[in-house]
Amino acid sequence: MEISWLQAAILGIFACLSSMPGLGGTSLGNYTLGRPLVAGLVCGIVLGDVTTGVIVGTAMQVLYIALVTPGGTVSADVRAVSYIGIPLTMVFLKAGGIDPASSDGLAAAQALGALVGTVGTVLFYGTATMNLLWQHIGWKAVEKGEFKKLYAVDMVLPWISHIVCSFLPALVMCKLGQPMVEAIQTYLPMDGIAMKTLFTVGSLLPAVGVAILLKQVANSLVDFVYFFFGFALSAALGLNLVVATVIGGVFAVINYKIKMISIEAKAAAAAGGLDDDDEEDI
């Protein structure tokens, strides 16, 4: 698989769009286009292999499913993962004849995703640093009362930061994807210690992502019972996680209805108690 300049440019544009948290509110930008799951579909369409793109994007999404950026601090940049890591991984898998759905293919996607995501932090902080220049220009405009300049500061000048730190890196790295993959294969052979280490670490990273997500949603030890129940269904009954999710949704509806009946009963009892008090007062 070879990535043309046009395909690399399109991926670079999406890298720009996905680096903007406020683009279209939460409908576009970092929260949607920047997610590897969505980017896998986009990269698959652009590169002409939707199946591989979605599989690679899904594998990388598991790593960053619980990624948060408290105070603007990031441990990995999903913009780089999505529009540099996914295309390079697709080229890597095609060049090596590796099935993307195989264990080796998923491990390669996760390992390369983690590698590119960490390197991508440089792009993230580079963008933030350049944006400080535009903010300085904005403060100067406010001090002079030239408020119309704020439109350019807010909507025009930041594009320079995104072009430099998003479009150009994605364009160059995606276009040079094949030579870069060949270099990886030459200096990091599949049966070498380095690649085996990456594959091993990559296979463990999804557990870390799920653990971080679980830590955020589980409020008590009882919540873990419901969480592991789905995996028990999958292992014991041979169900995939989609079917287990549907079964879990049914139990959630049943639990919701029971809770609502309990709340309504308590409200009716309380209302009845108030009526009795009113009658005694009368």
Side-chain angles (χ1 to χ4, degrees), residues 12-275:
I13 292 174
F14 274 97
C16 280
L17 297 177
S18 65
S19 65
M20 300 180 182
L23 178 64
T26 56
S27 301
L28 296 173
N30 181 262
Y31 297 104
T32 50
L33 291 177
R35 302 299 99 176
L37 184 62
V38 177
L41 175 62
V42 174
C43 293
I45 294 174
V46 173
L47 300 182
D49 191 348
V50 175
T51 302
T52 301
V54 171
I55 292 175
V56 172
T58 302
M60 291 187 179
Q61 179 66 74
V62 177
L63 301 181
Y64 303 102
I65 193 172
L67 180 68
V68 294
T69 57
T73 302
V74 297
S75 58
D77 183 29
V78 291
R79 155 188 41 181
V81 172
S82 297
Y83 295 104
I84 298 177
I86 293 178
L88 289 183
T89 302
M90 293 175 66
V91 174
F92 179 85
L93 295 177
K94 290 293 184 181
I98 303 173
D99 182 5
S102 66
S103 58
D104 287 342
L106 296 177
Q110 292 159 359
L112 290 174
L115 177 63
V116 176
T118 303
V119 174
T121 55
V122 178
L123 301 178
F124 178 89
Y125 289 118
T127 303
T129 302
M130 290 190 66
N131 285 339
L132 291 176
L133 300 176
W134 318 140
Q135 291 180 5
H136 181 71
I137 295 175
W139 282 115
K140 289 293 185 180
V142 171
E143 292 173 358
K144 295 179 181 180
E146 299 173 345
F147 299 111
K148 290 185 177 180
K149 288 186 177 180
L150 295 180
Y151 290 104
V153 172
D154 184 45
M155 295 181 289
V156 178
L157 294 180
W159 273 97
I160 300 176
S161 306
H162 295 301
I163 290 173
V164 172
C165 296
S166 296
F167 177 79
L168 292 179
L171 174 69
V172 174
M173 294 186 72
C174 288
K175 176 54 185 173
L176 299 179
Q178 187 67 29
M180 293 185 67
V181 168
E182 291 176 355
I184 291 175
Q185 291 176 328
T186 301
Y187 294 102
L188 298 174
M190 294 292 294
D191 56 350
I193 296 177
M195 289 305 293
K196 287 183 177 179
T197 302
L198 283 175
F199 286 171
T200 302
V201 174
S203 63
L204 295 176
L205 287 174
V208 178
V210 174
I212 295 174
L213 180 63
L214 184 60
K215 185 177 180 180
Q216 294 177 353
V217 301
N219 297 320
S220 64
L221 292 176
V222 178
D223 294 336
F224 286 88
V225 176
Y226 301 105
F227 179 80
F228 291 116
F229 178 66
F231 288 95
L233 283 177
S234 177
L237 302 179
L239 304 177
N240 58 43
L241 292 183
V242 175
V243 177
T245 301
V246 173
I247 295 175
V250 173
F251 279 106
V253 172
I254 294 174
N255 182 67
Y256 170 77
K257 290 185 176 294
I258 294 175
K259 288 289 186 182
M260 291 303 297
I261 291 174
S262 176
I263 293 174
E264 291 173 358
K266 290 180 180 179
L274 291 175
D275 292 340

